[in-house]
Every structure is written in structure tokens, then in C-alpha cells.
Amino acid sequence: MHVLLIGEGQLGSALRAVFEGNGLSSQRTDARVAPRFRLTIWRRPEFDIAHPEIAERVAALAPDVVINAAAWTNVDAAESNPDAAYAVNALGPKYLAEGCEQCGAALVHVSTNEVFPGQPGRFYREYDPCDARSVYARSKLAGERAVMALCRRFYIVRVAWLFGPGGVNFPSKIIAAADQRGALRVVADEFGNPTYAPDAADAIARLILTNRFGVYHLVNEGWCSRYEFACQVLANSGRSHIPVTPISHEEWPRPAQPPLHAVLINQAAAALGIRLRPWQEAVESYCRRAFMPTK
């Protein structure tokens, strides 16, 4: 199976590791699936999904599967740069979907929990109605809709609170702030699913092999607040002595307010036997790889 991978961020790097057979997931599913894939990677600036001609380039290559792991992910900056966010997150998937439809390729499009409004107490399954609020979220939802409208063979894969080795993410920021300040204030009324990039990549590879198209939530099992996430990171990186004060989201103003309770439920993939381990175990693996405990 010829896979075209687009994107070299946290998830793109983890996907490459899985398809090349040296993935980071503790489940080591990659050792089983890697021989069944042939991988091509497209990188910017030579291959920019925000340009319309990417559709013809995909069609000419004619892979079996295209994985779109490229995205504008700076949520706050999207508020002041909507054209740039929509170019990558909405028009990019549109062009990829057009190219996939021309050559008969399947398209894996990675999206986000932020397409949901995040009403307190709500848990969102794959086909619950979306209601994106921020510029970033609306651009991602527009990308989902373009894929659904233009490509018959698609996997929409929503993740949440993605983190992985080598990337700039919530755990890496928590560690840096803890080492610099010696104390933290972390929002305690925003909830989500911490998702370890290698585990999500592993699950995507397994999903592709099912040939069952549709919308999926691939997140690590369980959910927590940002405060609980931070405490888990500190405990697993040898920094449990760092004091953490829980605060309200109102005490941490941002240009783009994220949904407060956009907690995803993995129902569709779980029905196929695809589950990700508990988020606490994933954080432990991340910290063991990324941060040696301080002494």
C-alpha cells in the first residue's frame, strides 16, 4: 500500500516512524503493519497544500492513501491571521480531497476536538453535531466538510491535546515553566483527552488497514483537566515537588478561548478493536523518553 504522508509535526513524525517500522508506541503495532506500507513524504516549501496545484500533483502520483497531518495549529494566532489559517486548514484539505478523488486514493484527514462547542458536562461521539467557535476551530471544521463533500473514500480522524517527543506542546511547556519559575498556575476548568502522537499514529495505521471509512475519534482513553494533565507530567518527570495552583480559565485570558469540555469518546474505532491506552500511561512513556527525572 503506497502511502503519501504530508506534514512533519508531532503527528507526522510519529506516523513516519510507524510506517518505517521504528515507531515509538509501546504496543509495537508498527512492527506488524510497517511491511505492508510504502511511504512517500511531501515537505514544504516544495509541496504546499495551500496551493491549488497540489490536487494535480496528488492525482499524478496516484498513491493508495494520502494522510494529511499538515495544519495551522497556532490557535491564538489564527484569530489575527484567519486567511492563513483557512488556507492551510480548509483549502488545503479541499485540494487534497480533489486530488484523491481524481486518482481513487483514500484520504486520512486529521482534525480536532475543537470542532465541538465544549459544553460543560458533554461528551462527544463521532457524529454529534459540530459547532466550532474560534477561527482555528472553524477552519478545521471547514476542512472536514470539504473532505466529506469532495472525497468518497475518507477517514476523518479527530485528536485532542496532542503531545509527542521533540515537539512544542503542553507537557514541554509545563516542564519549561516549572524549571524556570519553580511554581505554576494551571487552568482547572478546561477538560479534554491528552493524546500521545505515537499512539495516535499507531491507531491511524491500524485504521487504514480496516478499509472502513468514516469519522473517528482517536484519543487516549480517559480525560482530565489541564491542571490534572500538568500534575501528571510533573509527577512523571521527577518534578512533583513543584507547587501547582488550580485557576479558572477566566484567570488565563487568551485571544482564542478553547472549548471548556470538548471531551471525545472513541466509539467507532473501538468497535473495530482500535483503542489507545490510558492517557496516564502515555504521559509516563512520553516523560520517560523526553525528560529524564531531575535530581
Side-chain angles (χ1 to χ4, degrees), residues 5-9 11-13 15-16 41-43 67-71:
L5 172 61
I6 303 173
E8 287 192 294
L11 184 56
S13 297
L15 284 161
R16 177 177 180 175
I41 302 173
W42 281 2
R43 302 174 174 86
I67 302 179
N68 179 29

Side-chain angles (χ1 to χ4, degrees), residues 25-43:
S25 172
S26 66
Q27 301 169 41
R28 299 301 298 169
T29 304
D30 51 275
R32 184 175 74 248
V33 304
R36 304 177 65 175
F37 295 101
R38 176 168 62 92
L39 183 64
T40 296
I41 302 173
W42 281 2
R43 302 174 174 86

Side-chain angles (χ1 to χ4, degrees), residues 200-216:
D202 181 272
I204 287 171
R206 294 162 63 194
L207 180 62
I208 290 170
L209 292 176
T210 70
N211 208 40
R212 291 181 177 271
F213 307 111
V215 180
Y216 294 90

Side-chain angles (χ1 to χ4, degrees), residues 108-112 155-159 204 207 214 216-218:
V108 180
H109 175 61
V110 181
S111 191
T112 172
Y155 306 89
I156 301 289
V157 173
R158 296 182 183 130
V159 298
I204 287 171
L207 180 62
Y216 294 90
H217 291 171
L218 296 182

